[in-house]
Amino acid sequence: MPAASVIGEPCVLLKLGEIVLKGKNRHQFEQRLQNNIRNALASTGVETVLWQRSGVIVIRAKSAAVDDVERVAKRLEDVMGIVIVHRCWRVDKTVEAMTQAALDMVGEHPASALGGSFAVRPRRRDKRFPITSAEIGVSVGSAINVKFGLPVNLKRPDLTVSIEVDRDEVFVYTDGTPGQGGLPVGSSGRGLVLMSGGIDSPVAAYRMMRRGLRVDYLHFSGMPFTGPESIYKAYALVRELDKFQGGSRLFVVPFGKAQQQIKAAGEDRLAIVAQRRLMLKTAEVLAERRKDGALITGDSLGQVASQTLINMTALDDAVDLPILRPLVGMDKSEIMDSARRIGTLSISELPDEDCCSILAPRRPETAAKIADLRQIEKRLDAEELAEQLADSVQEHHPVYGAE
Ligand code: ATP
Ligand code: MG
């Protein structure tokens, strides 16, 4: 952030991604994003003013303090639907003011210390402004060149200085930091994520939030036959993921007794797929109560025995709701990279006693027959059991940033 020599105020300027392609629905998407931004910023404690301008959103801190603006900018890097977060100065409509802001920003930028090249990208939204874009470029560019001795490179600059002349003011900013991209959470409806304590399901949740789904979470613990560790993990994961949507809910179902019933009701080799079907059926009951329109899992094709194509087909057969599997075509290493980037990997790697270890056949079936699974479910009265399990749910509200 530039030193105090700029006369004007620091602010954040957001570039939006696919929203700008939304034609008639665009207004709804913008409204949704603005609400999501306001909710995310409420937790920063910074009082802000938000403006929707043509194609961008500008956010000012009422305090006009650089630190507050920085806190706002950092928080917005996690809000879905924003492609780039620019730290920006809003200054008077004079060449002197824009030049001063540009000089200060370039002076603080790491690329300038390294002697990198730069380009000035001026743009006049207000065509009545008496100085043309080309003239602004030359004037500000030569001031930067004289002060820092940096070379101009219009094709591939190390540093870009953008200057946007608007109706009442000028915005000056350098390269921003990447946002999450995607669509605003809530613009695509709602889904229920089956959330283990593993690496995959948190990444699956992230990917669907990024496509605009608001998600609820459902975790099955092995209680009363395991400790509560897996619940703590699921809680910590949801708390971390809450930075992407806010207001997250985690439902926890004690699943140990049902697992024993499955074990008693069928062949050992089918137990894993049978239990996944019971999880899905329970999830469907909850999803209907919550009006969630899809179930989401972290399945990736071929990753483990239960994730063969035939077994996935047998899982789809268990429920009417669509099962979304955003990781289906991803490699484990790609999933781990995502998990690291979104902040869930270190939590997933903590030790716990997964409920699935209660049922761990030596050679799980890779080609489960639907008819066999339905037989087992008849003996279990699986539909009734799923209702009971859904009734036994405990609800938690993990909040990002809370202890
Ligand atoms: P993950 O890393 O997400 O645990 P995984 O590779 O261990 O996945 P499985 O254990 O076969 O694979 O689980 C596949 C999917 O089933 C998970 O991604 C998750 O969506 C769901 N699932 C598995 N166990 C549970 C659980 N205890 N509670 C809720 N969902 C679960
Ligand atoms: Mg797992």
Side-chain angles (χ1 to χ4, degrees), residues 196-201 354 356:
S196 68
I199 292 169
D200 304 328
S201 35
D354 190 58
C356 299

Side-chain angles (χ1 to χ4, degrees), residues 169-281:
E169 65 247 309
V170 177
F171 294 99
V172 183
Y173 53 93
T174 50
D175 307 272
T177 46
Q180 299 298 328
L183 298 171
V185 166
S187 61
S188 302
R190 292 161 53 130
L192 177 62
V193 177
L194 282 87
M195 184 79 168
S196 68
I199 292 169
D200 304 328
S201 35
V203 177
Y206 168 81
R207 292 219 148 205
M208 295 322 301
M209 283 189 276
R210 197 156 77 123
R211 291 314 297 166
L213 270 198
R214 165 163 281 282
V215 298
D216 291 321
Y217 298 90
L218 170 60
H219 173 71
F220 295 91
S221 82
M223 302 263 275
F225 303 119
T226 63
E229 291 78 11
S230 79
I231 302 174
Y232 301 154
K233 258 176 97 171
Y235 190 96
L237 287 166
V238 173
R239 186 174 52 192
E240 187 65 28
L241 290 167
D242 185 55
K243 68 188 173 197
F244 299 116
Q245 66 170 13
S248 302
R249 289 166 193 243
L250 167 64
F251 300 98
V252 177
V253 168
F255 201 54
K257 285 188 183 146
Q259 287 178 303
Q260 286 203 322
Q261 284 174 261
I262 291 171
K263 209 167 179 171
E267 293 163 60
D268 198 34
R269 291 190 65 187
L270 283 175
I272 295 287
V273 180
Q275 103 162 349
R276 290 286 309 281
R277 279 175 62 109
L278 184 57
M279 285 183 182
L280 289 165
K281 284 177 190 291

